[in-house]
Each structure stands twice: as structure tokens, then as C-alpha cells.
Amino acid sequence: MKKRYTLSNRSLIALMLVLAMLLPCFTQASAEGTGWSVADDTQIFWVSGADSLMSDDALMEQIQLFDSELAAKVTNTALPIVYGEADGARENDILLVLDSSLNIAKEGFQIKVNGGQVTVSASHADGLFYGCRDLIQQLLYAGVVTDKAEAPSVAERAVSLDNGRKYFSVDWIKQLIREMSWAKMNTLVLHF
């Protein structure tokens, strides 16, 4: 005698929830073909402008940090950093645009894939920093970069560390700050 299987309401709801959780995986896989990824000739193209001058040492250090972290996590080698007008960028380049006239929120950014190039734009250096972090994260977790615009909904995104009752080394706190930057957090509250 054959046994008949039927789905109860609970089983049906559970199955629908599992499918709903898996749907983003399929959506992400289909988006991979339309994204940007690093090529052999990719370079970081720092776009010149009134807000983005080569003489800005802090911005230069930030771009060099982006290059070193990209090398450590994705490319295994540092990419060349080129400074100039946007029309000098080549196919496969990462363009970094800092322009206050874009009216992007202070720590916000836009990532735009345009043909064979990807552009990270921001109105403030903090936004450019977070946009570069996001680009690396997309390459790490999805393998490709896709369009994205993001701005924080709150100004202060903090971690509170109570080191009055337990000792945390300087190196441990520095590592915490690095991890916070990957989560786009901007404030560390130390409680003594």
C-alpha cells in the first residue's frame, strides 16, 4: 500500500520561509554577470578636482591604505595609483571621485559600474573611505562590484568598551578600531 504525503500548514510555511531565505542567493548569482571585477591591468585612478588635490597628504594616505587593503584581501599585489582628469582613466580602472558638489551625505558614497570601470564617489573624504571599504567587501563576498549608494542614518555609530574591569592591550584596541571601520562604525567609547 502506498503512503500519501501531504504538507501541513506549518510545513508549507516552513518551506516558504526557506525559499524566501534562499532567493537572495539566486538573485546575487544572476547579478554577478553584470558586475565589475579586478582585471590584470586594473589601476586606481584618483580623479583630480578642487576637493581632491594630490597635495592633500591625508587623502593620499587614505588612498594608499585602500590600495594596501585591496592587495591584502583581494589582488595579492598593490595596484598602480594614477592621478589625473577622469577622461584619462582606462578600461578596468577603479575611479575615486571626491567632489563636494555631488551633495552626498558626509559619510555616504556611491558606487557605479559603468562599462569596464567602477567609480566610487563621495562629497567628503569619510564617505570615500567607506565607499572603498564597501568595494573591497563586495569583491570579497560576491566576487564582483555592483551599483550601490549608501549613507548612514545616524551620525554616531559606536562601540562601547569597558576596560575598567578588564585589561585590553593597545594592539587589541587597534585591531578593534580596524574591525569597526569595516562595519562603518565611527566612534569608540572607552570606559575607564
Side-chain angles (χ1 to χ4, degrees):
M1 179 169 181
K2 279 190 173 181
K3 194 172 188 179
R4 262 184 92 160
Y5 292 98
T6 59
L7 290 177
S8 67
N9 285 343
R10 277 188 175 173
S11 298
L12 187 58
I13 290 171
L15 179 62
M16 289 172 59
L17 287 173
V18 168
L19 290 174
M21 289 177 4
L22 290 175
L23 184 61
C25 297
F26 295 112
T27 305
Q28 181 181 357
S30 66
E32 286 182 8
T34 61
W36 177 92
S37 59
V38 178
D40 291 338
D41 63 342
T42 297
Q43 60 186 9
I44 297 171
F45 196 92
W46 176 9
V47 178
S48 64
D51 298 312
S52 185
L53 301 173
M54 193 167 199
S55 60
D56 186 340
D57 291 337
L59 188 57
M60 172 61 92
E61 285 179 28
Q62 181 177 318
I63 292 169
Q64 289 171 337
L65 175 65
F66 166 59
D67 189 25
S68 68
E69 289 178 338
L70 187 65
K73 296 183 182 295
V74 179
T75 62
N76 296 321
T77 58
L79 300 177
I81 299 173
V82 179
Y83 179 81
E85 297 291 323
D87 57 2
R90 306 177 316 193
E91 187 84 5
N92 301 322
D93 282 355
I94 302 169
L95 281 76
L96 303 180
V97 176
L98 182 60
D99 185 352
S100 59
S101 69
L102 295 173
N103 294 320
I104 300 171
K106 181 180 177 190
E107 294 180 342
F109 61 87
Q110 291 178 345
I111 296 176
K112 183 79 175 153
V113 176
N114 187 8
Q117 299 174 334
V118 62
T119 303
V120 180
S121 303
S123 292
H124 191 274
D126 291 346
L128 189 63
F129 176 80
Y130 290 125
C132 290
R133 282 279 198 262
D134 197 274
L135 185 142
I136 293 172
Q137 289 171 340
Q138 286 191 46
L139 287 170
L140 277 174
Y141 303 122
V144 295
V145 178
T146 57
D147 291 356
K148 184 174 185 180
E150 187 174 289
S153 56
V154 294
E156 186 176 285
R157 299 166 312 280
V159 169
S160 181
L161 181 64
D162 184 351
N163 55 342
R165 291 161 187 76
K166 178 176 174 19
Y167 174 75
F168 294 96
S169 70
V170 172
D171 289 337
W172 190 92
I173 292 172
K174 286 179 180 179
Q175 183 59 35
L176 173 65
I177 292 169
R178 285 186 205 95
E179 294 299 322
M180 288 172 56
S181 75
W182 284 100
K184 300 180 182 113
M185 302 181 87
N186 61 5
T187 304
L188 175 61
V189 178
L190 291 175
H191 177 68
F192 295 99

